[in-house]
Amino acid sequence: MYSDNHRARKRFGQNFLHDPLIIQRIVDVIKPQKTDHIIEIGPGKGALTKPILNCVARLEAIEIDQDLIVALSENQRHDNRLLIHQADVLKFRFDSLQHNDLRIVGNLPYNISTPVLFHLLTYRDCIKDMMLMLQKEVAERISASSGSKQYGRLSIMLQYYFDVDLMFVIKPEAFTPSPKVDSALVRLTPLHHPRYELLDHDSLKVIVKAAFSQRRKTIRNALKKHIATVTIERIGINAESRAENLNIADFVKLANCYHQLQTNMLSN
Ligand code: SAM
């Protein structure tokens, strides 16, 4: 399945998996079933594509690099189960696939992994689950709890909507070329019922972004332009806390409060 004369392109974050044991371990976690609607982001030379194709009736992939698409399509020309979209995943409309049970898999290009996660978040309603390989540091940020130094925007925005499991760590030697950092496989499963009632997604985005824009600031200072200190205290949050010490329930409270203030302002 490999096109060996392809030179890895740094701008596309190309680090190709070559370790058969690791590849099998990832596929075992994915557990592809025949009728699954699996979408692979960045199939590259097909390290994960081929073993997944062995299990499913159809697989769609999104790849930006035309040269890799040509090689992969050539390799699979007798196999009409694979459909490759030549596209930038950051612009790809997952709702255009017309399924609400997409299983997203991929060894993500590390240079754009955070924007890809935020892009996928907007399609959460059509996603059944996601198994994504990321830099270990990003995986730790997604799964971090309040109080830790990795806890931040990514942890809150993803944990509000998904159950997050850091499955296992993968060493650089499993890839060609080897990245400089460890990687980790993360499973994200959308929650059917959110843990807390959120009135407005965009308000959560605004509040979390402002709260973490300067981590060392107190919430009182960081949210000065959004919510008055007395109001923060009134909803039961210590305004002297720092963002990293507030849990997701606290952020939802702040977001709901901010949303109500905005709505009242508009209706006055
Ligand atoms: N899945 C292969 C593997 O595990 O060996 C390749 C993984 S490599 C880390 C990332 C892949 O994503 C490459 O094939 C790269 O060309 C592709 N890619 C990079 N940026 C992309 C983008 N914006 N949209 C779609 N694919 C992209």
Side-chain angles (χ1 to χ4, degrees):
M1 194 116 193
Y2 274 59
S3 94
D4 276 330
N5 49 12
H6 177 88
R7 294 229 354 235
R9 294 187 164 122
K10 217 171 168 180
R11 72 178 188 282
F12 290 148
Q14 293 176 348
N15 298 99
F16 300 107
L17 266 171
H18 65 74
D19 183 328
L21 290 177
I22 298 289
I23 293 171
Q24 190 54 50
R25 219 171 144 197
I26 296 170
V27 176
D28 287 346
V29 170
I30 299 172
K31 288 197 191 66
Q33 306 294 313
K34 202 166 181 98
T35 55
D36 281 349
H37 293 123
I38 299 191
I39 315 296
E40 186 184 5
I41 299 173
K45 299 180 181 182
L48 295 170
T49 321
K50 194 173 181 196
I52 296 174
L53 266 178
N54 287 338
C55 311
V56 297
R58 189 171 172 76
L59 172 61
E60 294 189 50
I62 304 162
E63 174 58 65
I64 201 166
D65 187 335
Q66 174 64 19
D67 292 346
L68 287 175
I69 296 181
V70 170
L72 197 55
S73 314
E74 177 64 13
N75 229 298
Q76 292 300 119
R77 66 185 175 282
H78 300 303
D79 191 340
N80 56 13
R81 289 172 302 170
L82 177 64
L83 172 66
I84 308 175
H85 302 269
Q86 188 194 357
D88 177 350
V89 63
L90 291 173
K91 299 196 179 122
F92 191 81
R93 302 252 341 231
F94 286 84
D95 53 352
S96 71
L97 299 172
Q98 313 257 324
H99 291 292
N100 61 2
D101 57 353
L102 300 176
R103 303 196 67 204
I104 314 286
V105 305
N107 169 14
L108 293 190
Y110 292 169
N111 48 344
I112 55 165
S113 56
T114 302
V116 171
L117 287 165
F118 279 111
H119 183 64
L120 288 167
L121 186 58
T122 61
Y123 292 104
R124 57 191 176 272
D125 290 341
C126 46
I127 294 174
K128 184 177 170 196
D129 61 11
M130 308 200 269
M131 312 286 173
L132 303 174
M133 181 118 71
L134 304 154
Q135 291 121 293
K136 183 171 151 235
E137 181 235 320
V138 175
E140 285 170 349
R141 276 163 50 203
I142 298 175
S143 49
S145 311
S146 59
S148 68
K149 77 174 194 304
Q150 290 93 343
Y151 184 67
R153 235 178 113 208
L154 208 51
S155 337
I156 296 157
M157 296 310 294
L158 287 165
Q159 288 175 33
Y160 178 74
Y161 293 104
F162 295 91
D163 258 334
V164 178
D165 297 295
L166 200 159
M167 306 303 287
F168 55 87
V169 171
I170 301 151
K171 291 284 171 196
E173 302 77 62
F175 304 87
T176 315
S178 302
K180 292 198 173 61
V181 292
D182 285 349
S183 306
L185 184 71
V186 173
R187 178 171 62 200
L188 295 137
T189 317
L191 293 161
H192 289 304
H193 301 289
R195 295 178 223 276
Y196 315 99
E197 194 198 348
L198 176 67
L199 300 176
D200 176 51
H201 170 81
D202 287 342
S203 299
L204 183 64
K205 255 173 48 185
V206 169
I207 290 297
V208 172
K209 189 168 177 201
F212 283 98
S213 59
Q214 281 169 295
R215 293 182 76 93
R216 307 306 298 163
K217 272 193 180 175
T218 59
I219 280 293
R220 176 170 61 85
N221 274 327
L223 298 184
K224 207 159 43 193
K225 295 195 186 120
H226 302 81
I227 313 177
T229 307
V230 279
T231 315
I232 296 179
E233 297 281 356
R234 202 172 52 227
I235 59 172
I237 291 170
N238 178 356
E240 296 304 317
S241 346
R242 296 210 170 99
E244 64 197 34
N245 295 319
L246 298 182
N247 59 28
I248 297 182
D250 295 328
F251 278 105
V252 171
K253 267 194 211 166
L254 288 166
N256 286 347
C257 173
Y258 174 66
H259 176 68
Q260 273 162 344
L261 291 171
Q262 296 292 100
T263 318
N264 290 346
M265 243 164 52
L266 288 176
S267 63
N268 281 339

